[in-house]
Amino acid sequence: FNGGLESHQDVMLVSDVPTRMIHAAADSVKLRDGKTGQFWLSHEGLDEVKNELGAAIDDLPFSLSRQALSMIGHTRFLHSRMGRKASQEDTGRLEAAMRSLSSLFKRSFDPLRSHSHTLGLIQSVIDTKIASASPAPAVCKELAFEQYRDVTTASLVKFASREYKGLDVDILTPPLAKLLSYPSSFRISLSQDFANQSVPDDFPVSMLHSTYVCYREGGAGPWQLKRAMELPRQHAVSFCSGDACTQGDLEISQLRSLMDMKTTKVMKLWGSLWDNEKDCDTCQL
């Protein structure tokens, strides 16, 4: 039975199965159609993505964890039944295999107790899926490519929609989830007057260069498009977070609380073991 556990451990180590399962869980999360890009960067949208990610992690990764713990428990039981027949070598090999398997799962799952790691997963889910869930109108993408030769047009997102003096206006951006981790409040206005504002040195302004305003009259006229940086100041497109926001700005959530996956079933399953490793039955005989 030691050989079976060691074989299971070797497969897990070589393939890094737990980590791959977490990535597969994140990849399985889908964003609902019909929502703007701004929704997915709001408190409500982030809570929805976090909950969906938690449910996905509690599917295959949870089943894999239960299987691994069951195998460890079964092997330990069989070993105990051997009594004095178990050699020190067998006992040592079993201990080493159990510790190695537990350590492998810890390396893969323990980061989910971290705010920054969980936020990174959520950002990845949003940025990967948002272009298909909240796509910019196809004609606007074509205009962006024809007028500006913008090679990012395929990933443009309908970030927000507005009505302005009889015009239907869509504000288009690339995926912007990385702005969720910007460490302080900000307000960035895109217009011809862009250079006359104070922009923090560490702010990723390049992410906003491909921001466009696509508009048509009364929902029936031909679409027209302008890069946001070319708009007059009174029609500026402003992105903000936190207490820097003013009325009419496009707000990006400044997270109200730390995000992690501690409440998922899989983290509760392993968490108590890792918190008490010295007394953990799966860590020592």
Side-chain angles (χ1 to χ4, degrees):
F1 51 81
N2 275 2
L5 183 61
E6 288 174 335
S7 175
H8 190 69
Q9 164 209 331
D10 289 344
V11 170
M12 291 263 188
L13 284 170
V14 171
S15 303
D16 196 4
V17 173
T19 299
R20 291 174 63 186
M21 284 289 188
I22 292 172
H23 287 258
D27 192 52
S28 73
V29 174
K30 299 188 184 303
L31 306 185
R32 286 187 293 136
D33 293 336
K35 297 294 185 180
T36 64
Q38 186 177 14
F39 171 81
W40 296 115
L41 302 187
S42 69
H43 296 318
E44 184 182 355
L46 288 171
D47 284 344
E48 185 171 322
V49 176
K50 178 178 178 281
N51 291 337
E52 290 293 320
L53 179 59
I57 287 172
D58 276 342
D59 189 13
L60 284 178
F62 179 67
S63 298
L64 179 70
S65 296
R66 290 187 65 179
Q67 179 189 51
L69 286 174
S70 176
M71 176 172 283
I72 288 173
H74 185 62
T75 305
R76 187 175 184 273
F77 171 74
L78 292 177
H79 182 82
S80 68
R81 292 288 300 272
M82 291 182 66
R84 295 180 179 179
K85 295 180 181 178
S87 67
Q88 280 191 320
E89 181 183 358
D90 286 339
T91 300
R93 285 173 58 195
L94 179 58
E95 251 186 54
M98 288 194 298
R99 287 183 183 277
S100 179
L101 201 56
S102 177
S103 176
L104 171 63
F105 275 89
K106 184 171 184 177
R107 285 199 307 272
S108 299
F109 287 108
D110 196 47
L112 294 176
R113 299 200 278 186
S114 154
H115 164 74
S116 60
H117 185 85
T118 302
L119 177 58
L121 275 179
I122 290 172
Q123 288 173 308
S124 176
V125 168
I126 294 174
D127 274 352
T128 302
K129 306 298 180 69
I130 199 169
S132 58
S134 309
V139 64
C140 297
K141 293 181 182 182
E142 289 182 21
L143 289 172
F145 184 76
E146 289 174 5
Q147 294 176 212
Y148 298 97
R149 291 294 183 262
D150 190 336
V151 295
T152 68
T153 53
S155 62
L156 284 178
V157 170
K158 182 193 289 189
F159 190 83
S161 293
R162 294 175 170 175
E163 290 185 6
Y164 178 77
K165 294 185 177 180
L167 296 177
D168 292 335
V169 180
D170 286 344
I171 296 166
L172 316 181
T173 70
L176 296 179
K178 287 185 174 60
L179 291 179
L180 291 167
S181 53
Y182 188 71
S184 56
S185 299
F186 63 85
R187 185 174 189 271
I188 306 294
S189 291
L190 306 182
S191 72
Q192 294 171 349
D193 208 33
F194 175 80
N196 294 326
Q197 65 187 313
S198 177
V199 178
D201 291 339
D202 63 342
F203 189 85
V205 174
S206 60
M207 293 181 64
L208 301 178
H209 284 170
S210 293
T211 299
Y212 299 95
V213 173
C214 196
Y215 57 95
R216 62 179 177 178
E217 188 171 351
W223 285 98
Q224 300 180 64
L225 179 132
K226 282 188 178 180
R227 194 189 291 270
M229 291 283 198
E230 298 176 353
L231 297 171
R233 183 175 63 179
Q234 63 269 29
H235 295 149
V237 174
S238 298
F239 296 88
C240 72
S241 75
D243 56 14
C245 292
T246 62
Q247 187 175 4
D249 290 351
L250 298 171
E251 184 175 2
I252 293 172
S253 177
Q254 195 170 47
L255 298 178
R256 295 168 294 181
S257 59
L258 297 181
M259 305 184 83
D260 57 56
M261 289 288 141
K262 290 179 183 177
T263 59
T264 57
K265 290 188 296 183
V266 72
M267 294 306 295
K268 289 178 179 178
L269 182 67
W270 288 103
S272 60
L273 301 180
W274 297 330
D275 289 339
N276 302 283
E277 279 188 331
K278 290 183 180 178
D279 303 317
C280 169
D281 281 347
T282 64
C283 303
Q284 65 180 26
L285 291 173

